[in-house]
């Protein structure tokens, strides 16, 4: 096996932790699922999944190596990603911040094509995913164990399967979960704070 089982398991755990941390993908998918239904959420998820494939191919064919070879560019990606996560954290923690599980009535319905494209762009512009593929995935690749391309594709496939599975569960359960929490304002406040704190912790880890 090109990637040792221990390394593969560690990367899978990292990918799971990343997808469970609230971010642009989760917020967009929940919003669409809550305001337009499960079908819209699934179409949006297809766009997000396509974005994962783009990142995987880009990393596998050397974009990650290029950025890592230019320290200033790599640091710029880190700082930009951290700043964006802090912006998202402020959106969750500020007074009157919107909860991602609250049903939004002010979101207009979109066509399947627009849902797909928006999901794709949301993922491509997601700094959390950029950091995962640019800075974290290369650490699990060992050139001495064979083809770097094949190792990259294997790790990327594992990340995509985990992320799509978790996000699909969120899309399918968004409605019942939102209805169940709507009558429990304390839980909604706790969820907002947990999301904000998680985003802050992730942003700090990116730059230290």
């Amino acid at each position: 096996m090109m990637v040792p089982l221990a390394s593969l398991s560690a990367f899978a755990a990292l990918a799971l932790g990343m997808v469970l941390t609230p971010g642009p993908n989760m917020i967009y998918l929940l919003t669409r699922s809550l305001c337009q239904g499960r079908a819209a959420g699934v179409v949006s998820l297809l766009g997000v999944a396509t974005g994962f494939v783009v990142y995987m191919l880009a990393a596998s064919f050397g974009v990650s190596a290029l950025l890592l070879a230019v320290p200033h560019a790599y640091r710029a990606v880190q700082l930009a990603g951290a700043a964006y996560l802090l912006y998202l954290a402020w959106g969750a923690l500020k007074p009157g911040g919107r909860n991602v599980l609250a049903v939004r009535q002010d979101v207009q319905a979109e066509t399947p094509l627009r849902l797909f494209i928006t999901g794709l762009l949301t993922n491509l512009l997601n700094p959390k995913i950029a950091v995962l593929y640019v800075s974290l995935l290369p650490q699990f690749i060992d050139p001495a164990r064979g083809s770097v391309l094949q190792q990259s594709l294997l790790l990327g496939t594992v990340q995509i399967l985990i992320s799509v599975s978790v996000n699909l569960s969120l899309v399918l359960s968004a409605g019942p979960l939102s209805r169940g929490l709507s009558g429990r304002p304390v839980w909604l406040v706790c969820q907002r704070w947990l999301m904000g704190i998680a985003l802050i912790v992730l942003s700090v880890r990116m730059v230290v």
Side-chain angles (χ1 to χ4, degrees):
M1 188 174 185
M2 284 189 177
V3 180
L5 183 59
S7 296
L8 192 62
S9 300
F11 181 76
L14 174 65
L16 179 61
M18 293 285 280
V19 72
L20 289 176
T21 303
N25 289 344
M26 181 184 292
I27 294 172
Y28 176 70
L29 292 173
L30 285 174
T31 298
R32 276 298 145 201
S33 301
L34 290 171
C35 77
Q36 202 171 336
R38 290 178 176 175
V42 171
V43 174
S44 300
L45 178 56
L46 290 176
V48 170
T50 302
F52 283 133
V53 173
V54 172
Y55 267 116
M56 179 183 67
L57 294 177
S60 298
F61 287 99
V63 172
S64 294
L66 177 61
L67 284 177
L68 290 173
V70 184
H72 294 300
Y74 174 60
R75 189 61 175 171
V77 170
Q78 283 185 313
L79 294 175
Y84 187 62
L85 291 181
L86 288 175
Y87 169 77
L88 292 176
W90 169 244
L93 298 176
K94 68 181 181 181
R98 183 182 295 276
N99 192 287
V100 297
L101 292 176
V103 179
R104 295 187 60 179
Q105 303 294 339
D106 58 333
V107 177
Q108 296 182 351
E110 296 182 347
T111 64
L113 178 59
R114 187 172 180 83
L115 288 170
F116 177 87
I117 293 176
T118 304
L120 171 62
L121 293 177
T122 298
N123 199 16
L124 290 179
L125 298 176
N126 186 348
K128 186 170 68 172
I129 305 305
V131 168
L132 174 64
Y133 275 93
V134 170
S135 63
L136 299 180
L137 183 144
Q139 299 178 27
F140 294 86
I141 296 175
D142 183 2
R145 299 189 66 89
S147 171
V148 172
L149 175 61
Q150 292 182 19
Q151 292 182 60
S152 299
L153 292 175
L154 174 60
L155 292 169
T157 300
V158 168
Q159 186 272 329
I160 292 172
L161 290 175
I162 291 174
S163 296
V164 170
S165 298
V166 172
N167 283 317
L168 180 60
S169 299
L170 289 174
V171 166
L172 297 179
S173 62
L177 183 60
S178 176
R179 289 191 293 271
L181 293 177
S182 60
R184 299 176 174 84
V186 174
W187 285 105
L188 291 176
V189 172
C190 290
Q191 189 275 333
R192 280 203 302 117
W193 276 90
L194 285 174
M195 182 180 74
I197 292 172
L199 288 170
I200 293 173
V201 170
L202 181 60
S203 68
V204 171
R205 287 182 177 178
M206 287 170 54
V207 297
V208 297

